[in-house]
Amino acid sequence: MKREPLTRMRIRSEQDVFTVRQLGREVARAVGLESQDQTRLATALSEVGRLLVAAGHETDVAFTTTTIGVPTLLVEMAHPVSGDGDRLRLELTQVSRLVDTLEVGDGETGTVVRMSRRLPPSSPALTPGRMDEIRDRLSGHVPGTPLDELTVQNQQLIAALDEVRAQRDDLARLNAELEETNRGVMALYHQLSDELEETNRGVVALYAELDEKSVQLRAASEAKSRFLANVSHELRAPVTAIIGLGRLLTDEASDKLTEEQSRQVELIRASASDLLSLVNDLLDLAKAEAGRIEPEWSDVDLKAVFGQLRGTLRPLATRPEVEFIVDEPAVPRLRSDEVLLAQILRNLLTNAIKFTAEGSVRLSVAAVGDDVEFTVADTGTGIPPDLHERIFEEFYQVPGSQALSGKGTGLGLPYARRLVGILGGALRVSSAPGEGSTFVVSLPVSP
Ligand code: ADP
């Protein structure tokens, strides 16, 4: 709340400008403003006083306090002549920086300049008792001479200059510290970027090495395919000749052989047959790997393909405990290569028949999303999950797995997967020992 003034005075002459300055400082000190703020307020008062005296006005000065919000010291300087507001506002712009607020009121009753300065939180509370005490102290205030005031002002100036110097020294020290930190940061940055560069060089070298290795790998794989293709091609003719000669030896028209000779020739023929199927498989796989198989795209009639598979494979499914089922195709046609597709399904079905002792072997087809999925499901021995990828490696056969009929080469699945890849699809397996196996060939509807 606003209270009774702490003190008042009237400025009539230039001499009084010194007095209001001194009084202002006294009041500021009494209410608890810090030394620099005392000087600021005193300077503001003397400036306003000087301007008003120069205009020839007598001015009343009143010091009050308010405790609404933050405790604040208020000064009101009023004179009865109106119309002076605009000039004062212009001339007091600098002065307004010395206090928290400075307003100029201009009305019929005259002109008034109001200034305020908040008291620091450390200042003692302005209780009524304390206010009376301050009033008493101020009423006993005896104004000094202008010379006294000059002395005080000089002392304040020296103190202010000292302060400025101390701040400048502080600033210089801070700058030096900052520079030091900067140097540290730059050193760290250089170290980091050196390390990064080193790592980069390592990575680049590693990539170069990798590139080189993959070129070597590709070359090795091509050499392997070429070798396989050549060797198997070269082997085919003599092996076929051995089989032919064997047949000739046991022919009715040839000289009769002893029983033992017949048995041995039969053995030679069976071995040569096995060798021929191995050589043929190898040749197929080598061709597929060398990218020498170009699919011949056409509209494949799945009913016809399924019918053909049913016909050719039924003779292999001789065991009465195993039902061989080829479903009616749920998808009638597919854009694909008929020969390759039939080859893939034949490989899978032959395996299923070979490894199923009882239950069923079933081929079906269905549309699944954008794909056509062929499923070959059997109730045979099954394959342990950790070998699901290995069975697609060349020559790999599940250890201990015994084909119920015929011998395998370990090349059927790798070849089937190659062909599926050539047709733009994927071949996957799900199986567990004792639960049978399901091989799924998924091909895109539009390759
Ligand atoms: P293989 O000529 O030996 O059949 P594959 O590449 O066709 O060669 O198959 C590799 C191996 O995967 C087989 O030897 C067999 O151990 C296992 N296998 C393939 N199909 C089946 C199946 N339907 N049921 C059980 N095991 C299978």
Side-chain angles (χ1 to χ4, degrees):
M1 59 186 226
K2 205 161 166 187
R3 304 201 173 132
E4 266 298 289
L6 286 170
T7 183
R8 318 170 162 273
M9 74 166 280
R10 173 164 287 191
I11 304 175
R12 293 188 179 86
S13 64
E14 286 181 0
Q15 171 74 37
D16 292 336
V17 175
F18 289 104
T19 312
V20 80
R21 184 183 174 101
Q22 284 174 348
L23 186 63
R25 195 168 50 240
E26 275 309 305
V27 174
R29 185 176 24 227
V31 295
L33 280 174
E34 284 159 2
S35 140
Q36 280 200 7
D37 281 344
Q38 296 167 22
T39 309
R40 283 198 184 93
L41 187 80
T43 309
L45 279 167
S46 69
E47 270 303 289
V48 179
R50 187 179 62 77
L51 286 171
L52 295 175
V53 165
H57 308 310
E58 287 199 359
T59 303
D60 284 321
V61 186
F63 296 89
T64 45
T65 57
T66 173
T67 48
I68 300 170
V70 180
T72 303
L73 175 65
L74 305 170
V75 187
E76 231 174 63
M77 301 174 84
H79 68 71
V81 183
S82 52
D84 207 11
D86 289 344
R87 176 183 73 95
L88 279 177
R89 268 185 215 105
L90 203 67
E91 299 205 55
L92 290 177
T93 358
Q94 299 261 40
V95 176
S96 64
R97 288 205 216 122
L98 297 171
V99 287
D100 292 331
T101 64
L102 185 149
E103 295 161 13
V104 180
D106 188 2
E108 277 172 19
T109 51
T111 309
V112 56
V113 178
R114 288 190 195 86
M115 292 180 275
S116 75
R117 182 78 198 174
R118 281 191 302 259
L119 304 186
S122 57
S123 61
L126 294 171
T127 56
R130 193 170 139 66
M131 296 290 280
D132 287 344
E133 214 175 281
I134 294 173
R135 271 187 209 103
D136 278 355
R137 183 154 22 123
L138 291 173
S139 63
H141 171 73
V142 183
T145 64
L147 206 59
D148 292 339
E149 183 52 29
L150 190 63
T151 313
V152 173
Q153 231 172 318
N154 276 348
Q155 277 163 356
Q156 286 168 347
L157 193 61
I158 289 168
L161 286 174
D162 276 351
E163 176 95 347
V164 169
R165 175 155 359 105
Q167 282 182 358
R168 207 184 41 215
D169 289 353
D170 269 357
L171 203 65
R173 189 179 44 76
L174 269 176
N175 266 343
E177 273 175 24
L178 201 66
E179 220 163 281
E180 182 89 353
T181 315
N182 267 354
R183 264 200 299 279
V185 169
M186 284 312 281
L188 203 67
Y189 170 78
H190 284 310
Q191 187 185 341
L192 274 177
S193 65
D194 283 354
E195 276 174 24
L196 198 68
E197 214 167 289
E198 184 121 335
T199 314
N200 271 353
R201 266 200 300 276
V203 170
V204 168
L206 210 64
Y207 267 111
E209 202 175 315
L210 264 178
D211 278 350
E212 198 181 321
K213 285 274 182 298
S214 74
V215 167
Q216 288 173 356
L217 211 65
R218 209 168 321 129
S221 152
E222 277 164 16
K224 183 197 78 175
S225 298
R226 238 188 350 264
F227 171 78
L228 284 180
N230 289 339
V231 167
S232 41
H233 186 73
E234 292 303 319
L235 275 176
R236 208 142 58 148
V239 173
T240 316
I242 293 172
I243 295 171
L245 284 172
R247 196 174 301 126
L248 215 66
L249 278 175
T250 50
D251 200 59
E252 297 278 303
S254 305
D255 291 343
K256 197 126 183 66
L257 299 177
T258 65
E259 204 173 304
E260 179 56 16
Q261 281 171 331
S262 292
R263 208 181 56 77
Q264 283 173 358
V265 170
E266 205 39 60
L267 219 60
I268 293 172
R269 244 178 67 183
S271 300
S273 281
D274 284 350
L275 196 57
L276 185 62
S277 70
L278 175 64
V279 165
N280 282 337
D281 285 357
L282 266 180
L283 193 58
D284 288 342
L285 188 63
K287 272 208 293 202
E289 282 190 350
R292 276 199 265 142
I293 295 182
E294 272 292 325
E296 280 189 25
W297 300 104
S298 67
D299 265 338
V300 179
D301 174 3
L302 292 182
K303 205 175 159 70
V305 173
F306 274 31
Q308 192 201 1
L309 288 170
R310 198 182 285 120
T312 51
L313 293 175
R314 187 170 299 286
L316 296 183
T318 46
R319 227 161 298 114
E321 300 89 350
V322 181
E323 203 183 351
F324 179 62
I325 311 157
V326 176
D327 281 350
E328 277 307 301
V331 178
R333 327 188 66 79
L334 176 66
R335 184 135 191 94
S336 195
D337 179 311
E338 182 167 341
V339 177
L340 300 186
L341 178 62
Q343 177 75 59
I344 295 161
L345 296 176
R346 194 177 308 118
N347 279 12
L348 298 178
L349 284 167
T350 325
N351 276 348
I353 293 168
K354 271 197 311 195
F355 292 101
T356 305
E358 58 181 356
S360 64
V361 169
R362 177 176 219 132
L363 168 68
S364 57
V365 63
V368 178
D370 281 345
D371 288 342
V372 171
E373 285 195 353
F374 294 88
T375 304
V376 175
D378 66 54
T379 56
T381 52
I383 304 155
D386 54 323
L387 300 181
H388 285 186
E389 270 312 301
R390 293 217 63 189
I391 53 171
F392 292 100
E393 288 172 15
E394 289 134 25
F395 300 110
Y396 188 81
Q397 297 180 312
V398 174
S401 81
Q402 283 285 315
L404 297 160
S405 56
K407 267 196 255 157
T409 57
L411 293 173
L413 286 180
Y415 184 49
R417 186 170 258 187
R418 277 274 166 193
L419 295 186
V420 173
I422 289 171
L423 295 181
L427 170 58
R428 52 179 201 277
V429 61
S430 59
S431 177
E435 290 177 16
S437 313
T438 302
F439 286 82
V440 176
V441 177
S442 60
L443 297 178
V445 172
S446 40

